[in-house]
Amino acid sequence: MIAKQFSLEQTLSMFRKVCKNRSFEFNLRKVYDTGIIKMPIYLSLGQEQISAAVSEEYPNPMIFRQHRGHSTYLSFGGDPKALIYEMLHDPRGCTGGRGGSSHLSSKEISYFGHCGLIGNEASISIGAAFASNKNTLSFIGDAAMEEDYVLSALGFAAKYKTPVLFIGEDNDLSILTVKSVRREWSSVKVAEAFGIPYVESSDDPWEIMDHVRKMKNDLPAFI
């Protein structure tokens, strides 16, 4: 079993993060239903184990992602209180109360906010990694792969060997449109075409940890 490759301490650390992420999101939804929160929220329920697993094997990167990022923020050490304040538009929030659920940022954990253009975190993450040569993490929703600047970012990363680990999260939907209606190609085949090491994974957290451990020293890579 893949799980046996990891220590009990690391497995417990990962699952504590999963539980914290899931508990935070369930409670956030309850509060949202009271009407106290005056903005749309983008929950990461159902994908909270992905960030928790990646964070165990890829510590202290620069982090770029779009919406549904609460679990990523928490898994990499973001302050839950600052996230709560952010949901309330309070200046004590991690983004000064100005970013909200979709545009989180945090200097403390090198988590960079998103401007709202679908997939632009990919191109920005490539530029940041190229300029700094620091290990970088770029979360991409699978539908964002259909944006032209994501594809050009992958090409640039392959050419200049930028130290970016791409995590493609695929729930088969772009809003409410399933993938089979939108296209015939797969994200991993695009990565392969650019010459980027890739692997297709389930959302089993041990499997994700195993992939990250094997690929993190040969970047760029795509999971």
Side-chain angles (χ1 to χ4, degrees), residues 9-196:
E9 291 75 15
Q10 189 174 22
T11 292
L12 287 174
S13 174
M14 179 267 292
F15 272 105
R16 288 188 186 103
K17 292 175 182 177
V18 172
C19 293
K20 179 172 70 174
N21 295 343
R22 195 164 181 83
S23 177
F24 185 95
E25 296 291 66
F26 274 127
N27 282 287
L28 177 60
R29 175 58 193 269
K30 290 178 182 178
V31 173
Y32 182 81
D33 288 343
T34 69
I36 294 175
I37 297 173
K38 304 300 183 183
M39 70 172 82
I41 57 173
Y42 299 86
L43 301 178
S44 52
L45 283 170
Q47 62 191 59
E48 60 272 14
Q49 69 278 18
I50 299 173
S51 293
V54 174
S55 69
E56 286 295 317
E57 286 292 331
Y58 203 70
N60 304 315
M62 296 192 294
I63 304 164
F64 295 82
R65 75 163 300 141
Q66 197 185 3
H67 58 292
R68 299 186 74 187
H70 304 162
S71 289
T72 302
Y73 171 86
L74 294 170
S75 292
F76 282 89
D79 182 359
K81 290 183 180 178
L83 184 55
I84 292 169
Y85 283 130
E86 189 63 35
M87 298 301 102
L88 298 173
H89 285 305
D90 189 295
R92 292 171 289 182
C94 58
T95 318
R98 298 184 297 273
S101 177
S102 185
H103 307 284
L104 300 178
S105 65
S106 171
K107 291 181 179 179
E108 289 73 20
I109 62 170
S110 297
Y111 190 118
F112 294 90
H114 187 265
C115 74
L117 295 175
I118 301 299
N120 85 317
E121 71 274 16
S123 53
I124 297 173
S125 69
I126 291 302
F130 180 74
S132 67
N133 202 36
K134 294 180 180 179
N135 278 5
T136 301
L137 188 59
S138 186
F139 286 90
I140 306 174
D142 188 70
M145 290 289 293
E146 297 162 26
E147 300 293 339
D148 54 354
Y149 38 79
V150 175
L151 299 178
S152 60
L154 291 173
F156 188 96
K159 169 65 176 177
Y160 293 101
K161 302 299 181 184
T162 54
V164 179
L165 177 61
F166 295 98
I167 305 295
E169 296 180 330
D170 184 7
N171 65 358
D172 195 38
L173 294 172
S174 176
I175 312 300
L176 295 176
T177 305
V178 298
K179 188 162 52 179
S180 61
V181 173
R182 306 189 324 264
R183 68 174 198 248
E184 298 297 330
W185 49 270
S186 70
S187 296
V188 292
K189 290 301 181 182
V190 171
E192 180 184 30
F194 281 119
I196 295 175

